């Protein structure tokens, strides 16, 4: 059983920064992709960024330059550094792990950016 636990969300003022973490536990393959998605109220879930176990990254075009994804394979942990946050970044941020044809999601962590 694979579990993903996110942390680091919270309330921040516009222009501030937050760092999200997501740790995977259970049977984790050495080859996988971990990523962050977000879902704002009334909107569809969307990709924020993803990173392979080899370090290849993929970002939503609109977030390049403000958000940085990284990972620590030894800890099965992925991070999302979010800078220059805007009110429109307010959303529940979900961690995702894809491996061996299977897809796992965390329960999400709420990020609220006040103006």
């Amino acid at each position: 059983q694979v579990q993903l636990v996110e942390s680091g969300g919270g309330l921040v003022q516009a222009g501030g920064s937050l760092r999200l973490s997501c740790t995977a536990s259970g049977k984790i393959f050495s080859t996988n992709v971990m990523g962050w998605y977000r879902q704002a109220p009334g909107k569809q879930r969307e990709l924020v960024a993803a990173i392979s176990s080899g370090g290849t990254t993929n970002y939503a075009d609109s977030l390049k330059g403000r958000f940085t994804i990284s990972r620590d394979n030894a800890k099965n942990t992925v991070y999302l550094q979010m800078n220059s946050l805007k009110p429109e970044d307010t959303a529940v941020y979900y961690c995702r792990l894809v491996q061996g044809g299977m897809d796992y999601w965390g329960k999400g962590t709420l990020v609220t950016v006040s103006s």
Side-chain angles (χ1 to χ4, degrees):
Q1 187 77 5
V2 173
Q3 289 189 323
L4 302 175
V5 178
E6 302 104 333
S7 62
L11 174 64
V12 63
Q13 288 188 332
S17 297
L18 280 177
R19 188 191 194 210
L20 306 184
S21 300
C22 170
T23 298
S25 61
K27 185 172 177 60
I28 308 301
F29 296 175
S30 58
T31 300
N32 59 56
V33 177
M34 297 186 77
W36 290 96
Y37 289 71
R38 69 184 185 183
Q39 188 166 18
K43 295 189 177 182
Q44 290 188 330
R45 193 173 297 189
E46 62 177 359
L47 170 71
V48 174
I51 183 168
S52 71
S53 46
T56 300
T57 58
N58 181 36
Y59 290 90
D61 287 341
S62 62
L63 299 176
K64 287 180 181 177
R66 292 196 299 123
F67 289 15
T68 303
I69 192 169
S70 60
R71 62 185 291 166
D72 184 334
N73 290 335
K75 296 181 179 179
N76 292 322
T77 298
V78 63
Y79 306 97
L80 184 69
Q81 178 67 41
M82 305 186 292
N83 298 328
S84 302
L85 283 162
K86 304 175 182 180
E88 51 263 44
D89 294 319
T90 294
V92 177
Y93 284 71
Y94 296 92
C95 179
R96 182 189 188 193
L97 168 68
V98 180
Q99 62 175 22
M102 300 294 288
D103 202 352
Y104 304 92
W105 291 87
K107 294 182 179 180
T109 185
L110 177 63
V111 172
T112 303
V113 184
S114 63
S115 57

